[in-house]
């Protein structure tokens, strides 16, 4: 909801290298890019609505993994 702050925390690991960056996607649009841990963002919804949040991790070899979506209303 508008005015409420939601803390978004992402866990990411790479078994054969390093995580280069983690991106937070809000309704499939880039919200924030992390280049180091911790991957934590305090986010405030601009207006009451339903939002879908995903995380995309990219490793040092360019491989990518995307989380399942989480809803925030």
């Amino acid at each position: 909801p508008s005015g409420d702050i939601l803390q978004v925390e992402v866990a990411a690991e790479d078994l054969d290298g390093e995580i280069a960056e983690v991106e937070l996607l809000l309704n499939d649009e880039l919200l924030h890019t992390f280049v180091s841990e911790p991957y934590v963002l305090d986010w405030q919804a601009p207006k009451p609505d339903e939002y879908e949040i995903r995380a995309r991790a990219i490793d040092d070899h360019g491989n990518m993994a995307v989380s399942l979506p989480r809803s925030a209303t």
Side-chain angles (χ1 to χ4, degrees), residues 40-61:
V40 178
L41 177 71
D42 289 333
W43 174 71
Q44 186 171 10
K47 63 179 180 162
D49 204 345
E50 186 163 324
Y51 298 94
E52 185 177 88
I53 299 172
R54 294 178 190 253
R56 178 168 49 207
I58 304 165
D59 73 7
D60 55 338
H61 300 290

Side-chain angles (χ1 to χ4, degrees), residues 14-63:
D14 184 20
L15 299 177
D16 66 351
E18 297 181 12
I19 298 295
E21 65 183 43
V22 172
E23 299 172 336
L24 278 182
L25 306 170
L26 179 67
N27 296 339
D28 292 322
E29 298 289 327
L30 183 63
L31 174 65
H32 188 81
T33 301
F34 301 99
V35 293
S36 63
E37 294 185 83
Y39 311 124
V40 178
L41 177 71
D42 289 333
W43 174 71
Q44 186 171 10
K47 63 179 180 162
D49 204 345
E50 186 163 324
Y51 298 94
E52 185 177 88
I53 299 172
R54 294 178 190 253
R56 178 168 49 207
I58 304 165
D59 73 7
D60 55 338
H61 300 290
N63 299 313

